[in-house]
Amino acid sequence: MSERDLRQRKSVSREGEKMTENAKSNRTTSTFKSTAGLFSKVFLGLIALIFAALLYNREALLQTVTSKGQKQIYLSADETKRDAVVDAFKYAWSAYERDAMGDDNYHPISKKGTNLTDAGGIGYTVVDTLDTIQLMGLNSEYTRARKWIANSLSFNRDGKYNTHEVTVRVLGGLLSAYHLSGGDTLYLERAKELADRLMPAFNTPFRLPTTEVNLAMRTPIEDPNNVVTTAEIASIQLELRYLSHLLENDEYWDNAENVMKIIKKAMLPSGLTSIFMGSESGQFLTSQIRLGYRGDAYYEYLLKQYLQTAQTEPVYREIYESTMTAVHKHLLKKSAEKNFTYAIELVPNVGRRGHITWNPEHKQDHLVCFIGGSLMLGATTSGATVSQVSVPPRDEELTEDARRDWKTGMALIETCMDLYKGTATGLAPQIVHFRHAGDREQPNSGNRDWYIKGARPAHRKPPYDARYMLRPEMIESLFLAYRLTGDEKYRQYGWDIFQSIEKHTRVETGGYATILNVDDVNSKLEDRMETFFSSETLKYLFLLFSNSNVIPLDKYVFNTEAHPLPMFIPHTKRTWSTSS
């Protein structure tokens, strides 16, 4: 129900009450008693509703509506903050459109664009950003972007392209645009063409896709060491499955699902996965285990594959739940001073006779900040004991493991927010290390439980770890946390981050750029505006301040580049089970 519908309903209700009041004197005593009893029940019901709202501190609760017997919570938009995000997007997009329209990458300081290869662009920025333009209702910008896709977009590029990145950014963007446009066939046709050019990447012994593919020649680019990255091969599934569903062609789905079968079969005894696999062995290689770089999206897509098909594939729920238990057992720690929950990495050490020990490294990169919101979403879906949980959920509505995940998710969000609050700019660094017993470095980091390794005085060149690249992971978690709790603090967290982005990364001539040192308010900027800034960061900020009917969580799943794809039930029943 829209806010206008709500006002109309309230107006009708008030008119009805006035008519009832005028007719009272002409009614019999029994009718009066019946009416009084009815109003008494309504009054008591209203009191109960108000008490429940206060009890659960749902500051943004406007009304409770009923849909198919299920309670839904409507969270209103913060129009002022939402519109400020739209203005920021327009500032970024207009600069790109002015200087580099159609180019894959944008460099706002030098006001120019570049492409991924010398062969030419493939619409990296345009397609990746298109659904943000659609959601924000920017009609003029949308018309020009669609025209460019119709007339200028080409995938016939004789160069090396990353299979994963092209899938999640371009294929995912086209599929999302197709859905949000109401079925504009331009996007579906281009999506099919691109997917067909990507399919040769799966022509390997175990059908694990190669890291790169030549789009023009439709040939895979073999890695000289026969290595693939776990996060990359395990986070192309949402896009290929949805395309299969639209076209009723199982080829894309079968290739995507086969990857998950190989990963499940090769799972390490810990229940976790290392960040590299052998493309010719189908086995995990001796390499780090982590939730961050090269590992993140694997953990992200376990839950999302289960949700995408309306929870009709229990195999993904089972893998997700067992994996989250392993994550709690092996990868989560508490900081020494403030008891923050954080993620470690496990680094293998191969001893004599090939015996492997796993040594903890108390290092967390910004990519890990997605997991807080993901755990909360998983708790209220995979771990729900009722058809629809409350907002926020009650303990009895969640399984024991789901209650654990919910608490951990909230705790990890607070940890990641401390990474923002604890810097001079209010922006989080790319990588931090947490202080712990036996840490030899232990630099002077004030009252922080963490530090930026290799940090130097402001006048010296900062380490790579000190930068903020306009990353979206924290905003994604805040968006999910707000939708699942209704707690206004998550909106405030997002607003604080947005204001810091505006203050420290905005380029005077247009666009935004990476800041090289988050602990220096006068830090230099790097001449690059990542596509995920307009595709993810600003989109999640927009959704954070929009009402809850905009891309509702019970109808959509986001790919790892924040492209919303609709949930669906497959045309044919998928037969893969955990025993396969």
Side-chain angles (χ1 to χ4, degrees):
M1 182 185 298
S2 67
E3 293 181 37
R4 186 178 68 178
D5 292 338
L6 176 60
R7 288 194 295 270
Q8 290 175 342
R9 177 169 289 190
K10 287 183 176 178
S11 176
V12 172
S13 178
R14 284 195 294 271
E15 291 299 318
E17 291 172 5
K18 190 179 295 184
M19 293 173 62
T20 301
E21 186 66 28
N22 292 337
K24 278 185 179 179
S25 59
N26 297 324
R27 293 183 180 176
T28 63
T29 302
S30 60
T31 301
F32 174 81
K33 289 181 179 179
S34 175
T35 303
L38 175 62
F39 274 93
S40 176
K41 292 178 180 178
V42 172
F43 177 76
L44 290 174
L46 288 172
I47 293 296
L49 177 60
I50 293 171
F51 177 78
L54 291 173
L55 179 62
Y56 291 102
N57 191 31
R58 296 168 190 163
E59 296 173 339
L61 174 61
L62 289 186
Q63 68 178 121
T64 300
V65 297
T66 301
S67 175
K68 298 180 180 180
Q70 293 183 339
K71 181 174 61 178
Q72 297 179 351
I73 302 303
Y74 177 80
L75 302 170
S76 66
D78 186 324
E79 295 182 1
T80 300
K81 293 182 174 65
R82 180 199 64 195
D83 293 348
V85 174
V86 174
D87 288 341
F89 174 84
K90 291 168 71 174
Y91 186 78
W93 178 256
S94 62
Y96 166 77
E97 197 172 13
R98 176 196 67 203
D99 301 329
M101 183 62 177
D103 289 339
D104 292 332
N105 298 312
Y106 180 45
H107 308 281
I109 297 174
S110 58
K111 297 183 183 180
K112 67 179 184 180
T114 57
N115 290 315
L116 297 172
T117 75
D118 293 337
I122 57 169
Y124 223 50
T125 294
V126 176
V127 179
D128 206 11
T129 306
L130 187 60
D131 57 8
T132 305
I133 294 174
Q134 290 173 291
L135 289 172
M136 291 182 176
L138 303 177
N139 295 329
S140 297
E141 290 85 347
Y142 173 73
T143 299
R144 293 193 297 272
R146 187 195 182 281
K147 182 179 180 180
W148 185 90
I149 292 172
N151 298 332
S152 302
L153 177 62
S154 174
F155 297 133
N156 190 33
R157 304 298 191 189
D158 188 4
K160 298 178 181 179
Y161 293 89
N162 182 281
T163 307
H164 161 80
E165 296 293 350
V166 171
T167 300
V168 300
R169 299 187 194 220
V170 185
L171 181 60
L174 289 168
L175 292 172
S176 179
Y178 170 76
H179 172 77
L180 294 176
S181 67
D184 188 333
T185 56
L186 167 68
Y187 304 125
L188 185 58
E189 290 168 359
R190 302 317 303 271
K192 181 183 185 304
E193 177 197 348
L194 178 57
D196 289 343
R197 292 178 182 274
L198 291 169
M199 284 302 99
F202 292 88
N203 294 336
T204 62
F206 285 85
R207 289 166 53 206
L208 298 177
T210 56
T211 299
E212 294 179 317
V213 63
N214 186 307
L215 294 178
M217 304 302 293
R218 304 191 185 210
T219 55
I221 309 298
E222 296 286 349
D223 180 85
N225 297 313
N226 300 313
V227 173
V228 293
T229 301
T230 304
E232 290 188 349
I233 65 173
S235 58
I236 54 177
Q237 282 67 24
L238 297 184
E239 301 79 5
L240 295 177
R241 284 152 45 108
Y242 182 46
L243 181 61
S244 275
H245 175 72
L246 293 174
L247 300 177
E248 298 188 36
N249 180 342
D250 285 346
E251 177 189 2
Y252 314 112
W253 192 310
D254 290 343
N255 278 329
E257 186 176 89
N258 175 72
V259 173
M260 300 309 299
K261 291 180 178 180
I262 297 298
I263 288 177
K264 177 192 170 294
K265 187 175 181 180
M267 195 83 68
L268 300 178
S270 62
L272 300 171
T273 59
S274 61
I275 60 174
F276 293 120
M277 291 192 80
S279 59
E280 293 195 345
S281 66
Q283 298 296 316
F284 285 105
L285 304 178
T286 303
S287 51
Q288 297 95 322
I289 295 173
R290 58 183 176 223
L291 297 176
Y293 182 53
R294 299 187 184 274
D296 55 334
Y298 160 70
Y299 297 97
E300 175 188 356
Y301 267 40
L302 288 179
L303 174 65
K304 290 182 175 182
Q305 287 178 85
Y306 175 58
L307 299 180
Q308 182 184 38
T309 51
Q311 304 181 35
T312 59
E313 297 178 283
V315 59
Y316 291 107
R317 184 191 66 218
E318 294 169 28
I319 299 174
Y320 169 76
E321 291 177 349
S322 63
T323 300
M324 290 307 104
T325 295
V327 166
H328 276 84
K329 182 177 180 181
H330 299 289
L331 297 182
L332 298 181
K333 298 291 183 182
K334 292 285 188 179
S335 66
E337 298 295 328
K338 298 182 181 179
N339 206 37
F340 282 125
T341 300
Y342 66 95
I344 64 170
E345 299 183 4
L346 296 178
V347 181
N349 180 44
V350 182
R352 294 181 178 179
R353 300 179 182 177
H355 178 71
I356 300 175
T357 57
W358 296 92
N359 300 322
E361 184 175 7
H362 296 254
K363 167 190 169 187
Q364 178 178 302
D365 62 47
H366 191 282
L367 290 167
V368 174
C369 290
F370 88 90
I371 195 69
S374 181
L375 281 168
M376 294 174 73
L377 180 62
T380 57
T381 52
S382 174
T385 60
V386 293
S387 60
Q388 185 171 349
V389 301
S390 304
V391 178
R394 299 183 177 92
D395 281 353
E396 63 270 21
E397 297 172 336
L398 305 178
T399 65
E400 182 178 352
D401 284 349
R403 292 193 295 272
R404 173 204 65 195
D405 291 353
W406 178 265
K407 293 177 181 178
T408 299
M410 290 195 296
L412 284 166
I413 287 176
E414 295 300 327
T415 301
C416 285
M417 270 311 301
D418 193 67
L419 306 184
Y420 282 83
K421 295 176 181 178
T423 68
T425 60
L427 296 170
Q430 177 76 355
I431 300 173
V432 299
H433 287 72
F434 280 83
R435 293 188 291 173
H436 62 282
D439 190 343
R440 295 180 179 179
E441 187 157 333
Q442 290 286 350
N444 181 13
S445 54
N447 62 352
R448 302 189 306 206
D449 276 18
W450 50 270
Y451 60 90
I452 302 171
K453 192 171 184 178
R456 305 178 182 94
H459 65 277
R460 297 181 59 189
K461 183 179 179 180
Y464 175 85
D465 295 6
R467 67 183 52 209
Y468 172 70
M469 302 169 60
L470 307 171
R471 298 214 70 97
E473 292 80 20
M474 185 60 194
I475 308 298
E476 177 184 8
S477 278
L478 294 177
F479 159 65
L480 292 173
Y482 178 70
R483 287 284 183 93
L484 297 171
T485 66
D487 192 332
E488 286 293 320
K489 78 173 182 180
Y490 295 115
R491 273 184 167 174
Q492 186 59 51
Y493 286 166
W495 183 245
D496 291 343
I497 294 172
F498 175 70
Q499 288 182 305
S500 293
I501 290 172
E502 284 287 293
K503 184 176 181 179
H504 297 290
T505 72
R506 186 179 173 108
V507 178
E508 289 185 3
T509 54
Y512 297 78
T514 292
I515 183 171
L516 294 175
N517 188 354
V518 295
D519 264 337
D520 178 7
V521 294
N522 299 310
S523 173
K524 292 181 179 180
L525 300 178
E526 184 178 68
D527 190 14
R528 184 179 180 90
M529 186 174 81
E530 300 285 351
T531 70
F532 54 65
F533 178 63
S534 53
S535 172
E536 298 186 70
T537 306
L538 290 177
K539 182 187 294 162
Y540 280 129
L541 280 166
F542 173 79
L543 292 172
L544 175 63
F545 299 118
S546 296
N547 74 61
S548 55
N549 287 339
V550 181
I551 311 295
L553 296 181
D554 62 342
K555 293 181 174 61
Y556 288 88
V557 61
F558 292 86
N559 87 336
T560 194
E561 194 69 9
H563 296 305
L565 302 174
M567 297 177 183
F568 62 88
I569 296 176
H571 295 301
T572 58
K573 185 176 181 180
R574 307 301 299 186
T575 58
W576 183 34
S577 68
T578 52
S579 60
S580 300

